[in-house]
Amino acid sequence: MTAVLEALTPVHLPEVTLPEPLPLGRRVLKHPRMMQSHRLTLFVVMSNVLVFGWGLSGHWWHSVLNLALVAQVNFALGIVVRQQFFVNLLSQLVMKVPKSWPLRLRWALAKGYHLGGLHVGGAVCGTLWFFALTVVATGQVGLGLLVVYYVQALLLLAIVMTSRPSMRAKRHDLFERIHRFGGWALSTLFWIGALLLVNERRSAAGSGSLLAALAGTPTVWVLALTTISSLVPWMLLRRIPIDVIRPSSHVALVSAGRSRPMAGSTRSISRHPLRQWHSFAVIPTPGAPGFRMAVSRAGDWTGDFIDNPPSHVWVRGVATAGMANYGTVFRRVVYVVTGSGIGPVLAHVLAARVPHKLVWVTRDPVKTYGQALVDEILTAQPDTLIWDTDAYGKPDMVKLAYSEYKSSGAEAVICVSNKKLTWKVVHGMERLGIPALGPIWDS
């Protein structure tokens, strides 16, 4: 394959001149700060503002029960849109969209993975409603219930503060611990609070059983939905054996499992179920059960995984549809990836769900990822453009993406790289009116 690989390196790329960008009005909407996930967060916030205004006229917010219901509905929204089965269902529906539909409509549907904005909006608004509930409940409920509310308010504040993007990036381990253990504690306290509140109201009314009162309380049903949604992945927790090959000190290629997950999905793994979890793209093994992952060195956890690979890992729930699955709504796409970004798109390259051109920018691919992986890519997609940064330096990714988009006749560009470069390419394409997808790092 060496001769083939040399033939696919970018020795003579033509000069690329980018076209004029979209008019300012449309271009503003393509800015990363105006991405669809942020718009959805704003939509949830504004919807809650309208609900608040509507409730003022009827004095709804004097009732602890009403405040609890609205808070719990927001939390349910934030949790259900991240539920693995819901994410997979949404992806499957989008992937069935006919390619005869207008490009602009398919472009909008391809942004379905931005629904994480609803998660953020629901969590933030639910927290604000719960703060209001705690204030209103003071003096209206018993001491025991009030203590439960204040503990919950503190936990919610801790979760929201550590969930900020800057905090997640700097203190990811702390964010993950507080998010997980704080979330479990909140779920328990929500049930305790619901039981105490319903019992207080039942006792004040002087009639009916506690069970009947719970069944007649909408908040309890919403809480049941969120609890089940959160529990399902953990009910599918299991420990599986893995095989690890290290073609270099930069990457470990993991083979695992007997099941055959959906191409283009991701899977979370951990050395210990109560510690760090990390998601990686899963790559089905051609003609065989199981799947593979590429774990690149990007921090302490991945570094230790590569240097001291385990014999088993923990997995929970099911493999979840990844961002690139939404790209199947287009007639033809260009995958622009750097380094280990090859992982999330390799499954699509092998499955060949949609005609595509692959552009892989990486340092010495054979030395870093192994001859077998490079051969597999070139066998599946012989016209792959592999840009060896050790030999040719780093290219202008926006111009490279546009050049391949034009020459291949694609409808869209899908970029998988680091956060800064991904947003640069996605924004660079969309400000020109070219559909583009890329990870949004919203979790």
Side-chain angles (χ1 to χ4, degrees), residues 344-367:
V345 304
L346 181 54
H348 296 280
V349 172
L350 298 179
R353 285 176 174 160
V354 59
H356 61 271
K357 174 66 178 288
L358 172 63
V359 179
W360 186 20
V361 178
T362 181
R363 53 186 177 179
D364 195 325
V366 172
K367 181 179 179 181

Side-chain angles (χ1 to χ4, degrees), residues 7-30:
L8 294 174
T9 51
V11 179
H12 300 294
L13 279 181
E15 286 294 324
V16 177
T17 301
L18 298 178
E20 289 296 316
L22 294 170
L24 180 61
R26 291 183 59 193
R27 196 163 70 243
V28 168
L29 294 176
K30 304 303 180 183

Side-chain angles (χ1 to χ4, degrees), residues 134-172:
T134 305
V135 172
V136 172
T138 304
Q140 288 193 30
V141 302
L143 179 60
L145 179 55
L146 192 61
V147 169
V148 171
Y149 282 163
Y150 272 92
V151 172
Q152 286 179 278
L154 290 173
L155 283 173
L156 285 167
L157 181 62
I159 290 174
V160 169
M161 294 303 293
T162 54
S163 296
R164 292 174 300 145
S166 59
M167 178 62 76
R168 291 205 310 266
K170 295 177 182 178
R171 304 289 301 278
H172 187 272

Side-chain angles (χ1 to χ4, degrees), residues 246-252 295-298 302 306-307 339-340 362-363 367-369:
R246 294 177 294 175
S248 72
S249 61
H250 176 71
V251 66
V295 178
S296 295
R297 190 179 297 273
T302 52
I306 295 169
D307 296 335
S340 58
T362 181
R363 53 186 177 179
K367 181 179 179 181
T368 306
Y369 296 91

